[in-house]
Amino acid sequence: MKKIISLLILFFTAFPVANAQVNDLSESDIQAFKDRVGEVIDMFQNNLSILGSKKYSIKVKGVYKKSVLKLFIGEGEAYTSPDGQHCEGVSMQVSSIRNGKETKHKIFLKKYLDNLIKLPYAEVKLTKADTYRISNIYKVGDHYEATATIFQRFEGFIGGDNKKVYRDVTQKNIKVYVIPENDYVLGQHWSVRLGDIEVNETQGL
């Protein structure tokens, strides 16, 4: 148990917790959880910036695509959630602003990443916000689930002079799973996996 708690302390720090629904974790445990989830979300957003950029080759982007998939439950394939539900794959809700109106639709994770790589802009910039929030932490069976709220700025440029033709800021909610695992190297530890992503709000700029 001491080993598990010491590993938990590697997980969560520095973000405000809202609506925590657990009573078997101390504040330090919750902060440790939050820190680890924050690291995974940082990796996710950094990799998205590379996939959207035109500075990297398709081969390089293929490597980063695989890295993104490993951050998600099921790694882009059909999976059974920790609570026993069969899912065809992680879904990504995407949005855009056209003529002042927001439109949303859902696609699977792999398709989302492929679309990001193939965007028709001459250059794409995906900028993450410096702050985000981990909330609604609750225990389900032998694992924990939470919601991560992130903010992303998307900018699209065209032409040799890189004229900016599209820009928005989107608030997204990501389902997070914190699952107990065992392996020969780490022994018993907690593994963070991201799940479905929903758009909360998109604003054109």
Side-chain angles (χ1 to χ4, degrees):
M1 187 64 184
K2 289 182 178 179
K3 186 175 183 180
I4 295 175
I5 294 300
S6 64
L7 287 167
L8 281 173
I9 296 174
L10 297 175
F11 278 67
F12 266 44
T13 188
F15 302 105
V17 63
N19 302 321
Q21 300 175 21
V22 292
N23 54 21
D24 61 339
L25 295 176
S26 68
E27 284 296 318
S28 62
D29 292 336
I30 292 173
Q31 289 177 350
F33 266 166
K34 290 176 65 180
D35 186 50
R36 178 56 184 147
V37 172
E39 291 176 1
V40 172
I41 295 219
D42 276 344
M43 285 189 285
F44 168 57
Q45 295 196 98
N46 288 336
N47 287 350
L48 286 188
S49 296
I50 291 172
L51 293 181
S53 174
K54 303 301 181 182
K55 298 177 182 178
Y56 302 93
S57 68
I58 294 297
K59 184 177 180 180
V60 169
K61 290 183 180 184
V63 174
Y64 280 92
K65 176 184 173 181
K66 290 180 180 179
S67 296
V68 171
L69 292 173
K70 289 183 180 297
L71 300 176
F72 283 81
I73 189 167
E75 297 186 10
E77 305 294 340
Y79 66 92
T80 300
S81 68
D83 53 5
Q85 295 184 3
H86 178 76
C87 305
E88 294 184 21
V90 168
S91 68
M92 308 280 293
Q93 189 173 50
V94 296
S95 64
S96 62
I97 299 292
R98 289 288 183 267
N99 300 320
K101 293 183 179 180
E102 179 186 29
T103 60
K104 301 178 183 179
H105 66 279
K106 288 187 177 182
I107 56 177
F108 286 118
L109 173 61
K110 280 188 173 181
K111 182 66 174 177
Y112 169 81
L113 298 178
D114 287 339
N115 288 350
L116 182 59
I117 291 172
K118 298 174 183 177
L119 283 173
Y121 297 104
E123 184 57 63
V124 167
K125 291 183 180 179
L126 274 167
T127 309
K128 65 182 181 181
D130 292 332
T131 59
Y132 41 82
R133 182 179 60 174
I134 313 296
S135 62
N136 299 326
I137 304 170
Y138 57 97
K139 190 172 185 179
V140 182
D142 65 346
H143 71 284
Y144 294 89
E145 298 181 9
T147 299
T149 301
I150 66 173
F151 297 85
Q152 289 179 330
R153 179 192 297 269
F154 177 93
E155 296 174 295
F157 302 82
I158 63 171
D161 57 350
N162 275 354
K163 179 182 179 182
K164 186 183 298 182
V165 294
Y166 183 83
R167 182 173 65 170
D168 68 33
V169 173
T170 303
Q171 179 182 340
K172 299 180 179 180
N173 292 332
I174 306 176
K175 183 71 171 287
V176 177
Y177 299 90
V178 184
I179 305 167
E181 291 186 354
N182 281 285
D183 63 40
Y184 291 110
V185 177
L186 296 176
Q188 188 172 10
H189 66 286
W190 294 93
S191 177
V192 173
R193 291 290 182 273
L194 305 180
D196 294 343
I197 298 182
E198 294 187 351
V199 172
N200 188 20
E201 182 183 13
T202 300
Q203 296 182 352
L205 298 174

Coordinates of all heavy atoms in Angstrom, one line a residue, residues 25-87:
L25 N -9.3 9.3 -0.8 CA -8.0 9.9 -1.2 C -7.8 11.2 -0.4 O -8.7 12.0 -0.1 CB -8.0 10.3 -2.7 CG -8.1 9.2 -3.7 CD1 -8.1 9.8 -5.1 CD2 -6.9 8.3 -3.6
S26 N -6.5 11.4 0.1 CA -6.2 12.6 0.8 C -6.0 13.7 -0.2 O -5.9 13.5 -1.4 CB -4.9 12.4 1.6 OG -3.8 12.2 0.7
E27 N -5.9 14.9 0.3 CA -5.6 16.1 -0.6 C -4.3 15.9 -1.4 O -4.2 16.2 -2.6 CB -5.6 17.4 0.2 CG -6.9 17.9 0.6 CD -7.8 18.2 -0.6 OE1 -7.3 18.9 -1.5 OE2 -9.0 17.9 -0.6
S28 N -3.3 15.3 -0.7 CA -2.0 15.1 -1.4 C -2.1 14.1 -2.5 O -1.5 14.2 -3.5 CB -0.9 14.7 -0.4 OG -1.2 13.5 0.3
D29 N -3.0 13.0 -2.2 CA -3.2 12.0 -3.2 C -3.9 12.6 -4.5 O -3.5 12.3 -5.6 CB -4.1 10.9 -2.7 CG -3.4 10.1 -1.6 OD1 -2.2 10.0 -1.6 OD2 -4.1 9.4 -0.8
I30 N -4.9 13.5 -4.2 CA -5.6 14.1 -5.3 C -4.7 15.0 -6.1 O -4.7 15.0 -7.3 CB -6.8 14.9 -4.8 CG1 -7.9 13.9 -4.2 CG2 -7.5 15.8 -5.9 CD1 -9.0 14.6 -3.5
Q31 N -3.8 15.7 -5.4 CA -2.9 16.6 -6.1 C -1.9 15.8 -6.9 O -1.5 16.2 -8.0 CB -2.2 17.5 -5.1 CG -3.0 18.6 -4.5 CD -2.3 19.4 -3.4 OE1 -1.2 19.0 -3.0 NE2 -3.0 20.4 -3.0
A32 N -1.5 14.6 -6.4 CA -0.6 13.8 -7.1 C -1.3 13.2 -8.4 O -0.7 13.2 -9.5 CB -0.2 12.6 -6.3
F33 N -2.5 12.8 -8.3 CA -3.3 12.4 -9.5 C -3.3 13.5 -10.5 O -3.1 13.3 -11.7 CB -4.8 12.1 -9.0 CG -5.1 10.7 -8.7 CD1 -6.2 10.3 -8.1 CD2 -4.2 9.7 -9.1 CE1 -6.5 9.0 -7.8 CE2 -4.5 8.3 -8.8 CZ -5.7 8.0 -8.1
K34 N -3.6 14.7 -10.1 CA -3.8 15.8 -11.0 C -2.5 16.1 -11.7 O -2.5 16.5 -12.9 CB -4.3 17.1 -10.2 CG -5.7 16.9 -9.7 CD -6.1 18.1 -8.9 CE -6.1 19.4 -9.7 NZ -6.5 20.6 -8.9
D35 N -1.4 16.0 -11.0 CA -0.1 16.3 -11.7 C 0.2 15.3 -12.8 O 0.6 15.7 -13.9 CB 1.0 16.2 -10.6 CG 2.3 16.7 -11.2 OD1 2.4 17.8 -11.9 OD2 3.3 15.9 -11.1
R36 N -0.1 14.0 -12.6 CA 0.2 13.0 -13.6 C -0.8 13.2 -14.8 O -0.4 13.1 -15.9 CB 0.0 11.6 -13.0 CG 0.2 10.5 -14.0 CD 1.5 10.6 -14.7 NE 1.7 9.5 -15.7 CZ 2.3 9.7 -16.8 NH1 3.0 10.8 -17.0 NH2 2.4 8.7 -17.7
V37 N -2.0 13.5 -14.5 CA -3.0 13.7 -15.6 C -2.5 14.9 -16.4 O -2.6 15.0 -17.6 CB -4.4 13.9 -15.1 CG1 -5.4 14.4 -16.2 CG2 -4.9 12.6 -14.5
G38 N -2.1 16.0 -15.7 CA -1.6 17.2 -16.4 C -0.4 16.9 -17.3 O -0.3 17.4 -18.4
E39 N 0.5 16.0 -16.9 CA 1.6 15.6 -17.8 C 1.1 14.9 -19.0 O 1.6 15.2 -20.1 CB 2.5 14.7 -17.0 CG 3.3 15.3 -15.9 CD 4.1 14.3 -15.1 OE1 4.1 13.1 -15.5 OE2 4.8 14.7 -14.1
V40 N 0.1 14.0 -18.9 CA -0.4 13.3 -20.1 C -1.1 14.3 -21.0 O -0.9 14.2 -22.3 CB -1.4 12.2 -19.6 CG1 -2.1 11.6 -20.8 CG2 -0.6 11.1 -18.9
I41 N -1.8 15.2 -20.5 CA -2.5 16.2 -21.3 C -1.5 17.1 -22.0 O -1.7 17.5 -23.2 CB -3.5 17.0 -20.5 CG1 -4.6 16.1 -19.9 CG2 -4.0 18.3 -21.2 CD1 -5.9 16.6 -19.9
D42 N -0.4 17.5 -21.4 CA 0.6 18.3 -22.0 C 1.2 17.5 -23.2 O 1.4 18.1 -24.3 CB 1.7 18.6 -21.0 CG 1.4 19.8 -20.2 OD1 0.5 20.6 -20.6 OD2 2.0 20.0 -19.1
M43 N 1.5 16.2 -23.0 CA 2.0 15.4 -24.1 C 1.0 15.4 -25.3 O 1.4 15.5 -26.4 CB 2.3 14.0 -23.6 CG 3.6 13.9 -22.7 SD 4.0 12.2 -22.4 CE 2.8 11.7 -21.2
F44 N -0.3 15.2 -24.9 CA -1.3 15.2 -26.0 C -1.3 16.4 -26.8 O -1.2 16.4 -28.0 CB -2.6 14.9 -25.3 CG -3.8 15.1 -26.2 CD1 -3.9 14.4 -27.4 CD2 -4.8 16.0 -25.9 CE1 -5.0 14.6 -28.2 CE2 -5.9 16.1 -26.7 CZ -6.0 15.4 -27.9
Q45 N -1.3 17.6 -26.1 CA -1.4 18.9 -26.8 C -0.2 19.2 -27.6 O -0.2 19.7 -28.7 CB -1.8 20.0 -25.8 CG -3.2 19.8 -25.2 CD -3.6 21.1 -24.5 OE1 -4.4 21.9 -25.1 NE2 -3.2 21.3 -23.3
N46 N 1.0 18.9 -27.0 CA 2.3 19.1 -27.7 C 2.3 18.3 -29.0 O 2.8 18.8 -30.1 CB 3.4 18.8 -26.8 CG 3.6 19.8 -25.7 OD1 3.2 20.9 -25.8 ND2 4.3 19.3 -24.6
N47 N 1.9 17.0 -29.0 CA 1.9 16.2 -30.1 C 0.9 16.7 -31.2 O 1.2 16.6 -32.4 CB 1.6 14.7 -29.8 CG 2.7 14.0 -29.0 OD1 3.8 14.6 -29.0 ND2 2.5 12.9 -28.5
L48 N -0.2 17.2 -30.8 CA -1.2 17.7 -31.7 C -0.6 18.9 -32.5 O -0.8 19.1 -33.7 CB -2.5 18.2 -31.0 CG -3.4 17.2 -30.5 CD1 -4.7 17.9 -30.0 CD2 -3.8 16.1 -31.5
S49 N 0.2 19.7 -31.8 CA 0.8 20.9 -32.5 C 1.8 20.4 -33.6 O 1.8 21.0 -34.7 CB 1.6 21.7 -31.5 OG 0.8 22.3 -30.5
I50 N 2.4 19.3 -33.4 CA 3.3 18.7 -34.4 C 2.6 18.1 -35.5 O 2.9 18.3 -36.7 CB 4.3 17.7 -33.7 CG1 5.2 18.4 -32.8 CG2 5.0 16.9 -34.8 CD1 6.1 17.5 -32.0
L51 N 1.5 17.4 -35.2 CA 0.7 16.8 -36.3 C 0.0 17.9 -37.2 O -0.1 17.7 -38.4 CB -0.4 15.9 -35.7 CG 0.0 14.7 -35.0 CD1 -1.2 13.9 -34.4 CD2 0.9 13.8 -35.9
G52 N -0.3 19.0 -36.6 CA -0.9 20.1 -37.4 C 0.0 20.9 -38.2 O -0.3 21.6 -39.2
S53 N 1.3 20.9 -37.8 CA 2.3 21.8 -38.4 C 2.7 21.3 -39.7 O 2.7 20.1 -40.0 CB 3.5 21.9 -37.5 OG 4.6 22.6 -38.1
K54 N 3.1 22.2 -40.7 CA 3.6 21.8 -42.0 C 5.1 21.7 -42.0 O 5.7 21.4 -43.0 CB 3.1 22.8 -43.0 CG 1.6 23.0 -43.1 CD 0.9 21.7 -43.4 CE -0.6 21.9 -43.5 NZ -1.3 20.6 -43.8
K55 N 5.7 21.8 -40.9 CA 7.2 21.8 -40.8 C 7.7 20.4 -40.8 O 8.9 20.2 -40.9 CB 7.7 22.6 -39.6 CG 7.3 24.1 -39.6 CD 7.7 24.7 -38.3 CE 7.3 26.2 -38.3 NZ 7.7 26.8 -37.0
Y56 N 6.9 19.4 -40.5 CA 7.3 18.0 -40.3 C 6.8 17.1 -41.4 O 5.8 17.3 -42.0 CB 6.9 17.5 -39.0 CG 7.4 18.4 -37.8 CD1 6.5 19.4 -37.3 CD2 8.6 18.2 -37.2 CE1 7.0 20.2 -36.2 CE2 9.0 19.0 -36.2 CZ 8.2 20.0 -35.7 OH 8.6 20.8 -34.7
S57 N 7.6 16.1 -41.7 CA 7.3 15.2 -42.8 C 6.2 14.2 -42.3 O 5.9 14.1 -41.1 CB 8.5 14.4 -43.2 OG 8.9 13.5 -42.1
I58 N 5.6 13.6 -43.3 CA 4.5 12.6 -43.0 C 5.1 11.5 -42.1 O 4.4 10.9 -41.2 CB 3.9 12.0 -44.3 CG1 3.2 13.1 -45.0 CG2 3.0 10.8 -44.0 CD1 2.0 13.7 -44.3
K59 N 6.3 11.1 -42.4 CA 7.0 10.0 -41.6 C 7.1 10.4 -40.2 O 6.8 9.6 -39.3 CB 8.4 9.7 -42.2 CG 9.1 8.5 -41.5 CD 10.4 8.2 -42.2 CE 11.1 7.1 -41.5 NZ 12.4 6.7 -42.2
V60 N 7.6 11.6 -39.9 CA 7.7 12.1 -38.6 C 6.3 12.2 -37.9 O 6.2 11.8 -36.7 CB 8.4 13.5 -38.5 CG1 8.3 14.1 -37.2 CG2 9.8 13.4 -39.0
K61 N 5.4 12.7 -38.6 CA 4.0 12.8 -38.0 C 3.4 11.4 -37.7 O 2.7 11.3 -36.8 CB 3.1 13.5 -39.0 CG 3.4 15.0 -39.1 CD 2.4 15.7 -40.0 CE 2.7 17.2 -40.1 NZ 1.7 17.9 -40.9
G62 N 3.8 10.4 -38.5 CA 3.4 9.1 -38.2 C 3.9 8.6 -36.9 O 3.1 7.9 -36.1
V63 N 5.1 8.9 -36.5 CA 5.6 8.6 -35.2 C 4.9 9.3 -34.1 O 4.5 8.6 -33.1 CB 7.1 9.0 -35.1 CG1 7.7 8.7 -33.7 CG2 7.9 8.1 -36.2
Y64 N 4.6 10.5 -34.3 CA 3.9 11.3 -33.2 C 2.4 10.8 -33.1 O 1.8 10.9 -32.1 CB 4.0 12.8 -33.5 CG 5.3 13.4 -33.0 CD1 6.4 13.5 -33.9 CD2 5.4 13.8 -31.7 CE1 7.6 14.0 -33.4 CE2 6.6 14.3 -31.3 CZ 7.7 14.4 -32.1 OH 8.9 14.9 -31.7
K65 N 1.8 10.4 -34.3 CA 0.5 9.9 -34.2 C 0.4 8.7 -33.3 O -0.5 8.5 -32.5 CB 0.0 9.6 -35.6 CG -1.4 8.9 -35.7 CD -1.8 8.5 -37.1 CE -3.1 7.7 -37.1 NZ -3.5 7.3 -38.5
K66 N 1.4 7.8 -33.5 CA 1.4 6.6 -32.6 C 1.6 7.0 -31.2 O 1.0 6.3 -30.3 CB 2.6 5.7 -33.0 CG 2.4 5.0 -34.4 CD 3.5 4.1 -34.8 CE 3.3 3.4 -36.1 NZ 4.5 2.6 -36.5
S67 N 2.3 8.0 -30.9 CA 2.5 8.5 -29.5 C 1.2 9.0 -28.9 O 0.9 8.7 -27.8 CB 3.6 9.6 -29.5 OG 4.8 9.1 -29.8
V68 N 0.4 9.7 -29.8 CA -0.9 10.2 -29.3 C -1.8 9.1 -29.0 O -2.5 9.0 -27.9 CB -1.5 11.1 -30.4 CG1 -2.9 11.5 -30.0 CG2 -0.7 12.4 -30.5
L69 N -1.9 8.1 -29.9 CA -2.8 6.9 -29.7 C -2.5 6.2 -28.4 O -3.4 5.7 -27.7 CB -2.7 6.0 -30.9 CG -3.2 6.5 -32.2 CD1 -2.9 5.5 -33.3 CD2 -4.7 6.8 -32.1
K70 N -1.2 6.1 -28.0 CA -0.8 5.4 -26.8 C -1.3 6.1 -25.5 O -1.4 5.5 -24.4 CB 0.7 5.2 -26.7 CG 1.2 4.2 -27.7 CD 2.7 4.0 -27.6 CE 3.2 3.0 -28.6 NZ 2.6 1.6 -28.4
L71 N -1.7 7.4 -25.6 CA -2.2 8.1 -24.5 C -3.6 7.8 -24.2 O -4.1 8.2 -23.1 CB -2.0 9.6 -24.7 CG -0.6 10.2 -24.9 CD1 -0.6 11.6 -25.3 CD2 0.3 9.9 -23.7
F72 N -4.3 7.2 -25.2 CA -5.8 7.0 -25.0 C -6.1 5.6 -24.7 O -5.4 4.6 -25.2 CB -6.5 7.4 -26.4 CG -6.6 8.9 -26.5 CD1 -5.5 9.7 -27.0 CD2 -7.8 9.6 -26.2 CE1 -5.6 11.0 -27.1 CE2 -7.9 10.9 -26.3 CZ -6.8 11.7 -26.8
I73 N -7.2 5.4 -24.1 CA -7.7 4.0 -23.8 C -8.1 3.4 -25.1 O -8.7 4.0 -26.0 CB -8.9 4.1 -22.8 CG1 -9.3 2.7 -22.3 CG2 -10.1 4.8 -23.4 CD1 -10.3 2.7 -21.2
G74 N -7.6 2.1 -25.3 CA -7.9 1.4 -26.5 C -6.9 1.8 -27.6 O -6.9 1.1 -28.7
E75 N -6.1 2.8 -27.5 CA -5.1 3.3 -28.5 C -5.7 3.4 -29.9 O -5.1 3.1 -30.9 CB -3.9 2.3 -28.5 CG -3.2 2.3 -27.2 CD -1.9 1.4 -27.2 OE1 -1.5 1.0 -28.3 OE2 -1.3 1.2 -26.2
G76 N -7.0 3.9 -29.9 CA -7.6 4.2 -31.2 C -8.4 3.1 -31.7 O -9.1 3.2 -32.7
E77 N -8.4 1.9 -31.1 CA -9.2 0.8 -31.5 C -10.4 0.6 -30.6 O -10.5 1.3 -29.6 CB -8.3 -0.5 -31.5 CG -7.0 -0.4 -32.3 CD -7.3 -0.3 -33.8 OE1 -8.4 -0.6 -34.2 OE2 -6.3 0.2 -34.5
A78 N -11.2 -0.4 -30.9 CA -12.3 -0.8 -30.0 C -11.8 -1.2 -28.7 O -10.7 -1.8 -28.6 CB -13.2 -1.9 -30.7
Y79 N -12.5 -0.9 -27.6 CA -12.0 -1.3 -26.3 C -13.2 -1.6 -25.4 O -14.3 -1.2 -25.6 CB -11.1 -0.2 -25.7 CG -11.9 1.1 -25.5 CD1 -12.4 1.4 -24.2 CD2 -12.1 2.1 -26.4 CE1 -13.1 2.5 -24.0 CE2 -12.7 3.2 -26.2 CZ -13.3 3.5 -24.9 OH -14.0 4.6 -24.7
T80 N -12.9 -2.2 -24.3 CA -13.8 -2.4 -23.2 C -13.4 -1.5 -22.0 O -12.3 -1.6 -21.6 CB -13.9 -3.8 -22.7 OG1 -14.3 -4.7 -23.8 CG2 -14.9 -4.0 -21.6
S81 N -14.3 -0.6 -21.6 CA -13.9 0.4 -20.6 C -13.7 -0.4 -19.3 O -14.2 -1.5 -19.1 CB -15.0 1.4 -20.4 OG -16.2 0.8 -19.9
P82 N -13.1 0.3 -18.3 CA -12.8 -0.4 -17.0 C -14.1 -0.8 -16.3 O -14.1 -1.7 -15.5 CB -12.1 0.7 -16.2 CG -11.4 1.5 -17.2 CD -12.3 1.6 -18.4
D83 N -15.3 -0.1 -16.6 CA -16.5 -0.5 -16.0 C -17.3 -1.5 -16.9 O -18.5 -1.8 -16.6 CB -17.4 0.7 -15.7 CG -17.6 1.6 -16.9 OD1 -17.1 1.2 -18.0 OD2 -18.2 2.7 -16.7
G84 N -16.6 -2.1 -17.9 CA -17.2 -3.2 -18.7 C -18.0 -2.8 -19.9 O -18.6 -3.7 -20.5
Q85 N -18.0 -1.6 -20.3 CA -18.8 -1.2 -21.5 C -17.9 -1.3 -22.7 O -16.8 -0.9 -22.8 CB -19.3 0.3 -21.3 CG -20.2 0.5 -20.2 CD -20.8 1.9 -20.2 OE1 -20.4 2.7 -21.0 NE2 -21.6 2.2 -19.2
H86 N -18.5 -1.9 -23.8 CA -17.8 -2.1 -25.1 C -18.0 -0.8 -25.9 O -19.1 -0.3 -26.0 CB -18.3 -3.3 -25.8 CG -17.6 -3.4 -27.2 ND1 -16.3 -3.9 -27.3 CD2 -18.0 -3.1 -28.4 CE1 -16.0 -3.9 -28.6 NE2 -17.0 -3.4 -29.3
C87 N -16.9 -0.3 -26.4 CA -16.9 1.0 -27.2 C -16.1 0.7 -28.5 O -15.1 0.0 -28.5 CB -16.2 2.1 -26.4 SG -16.9 2.4 -24.8

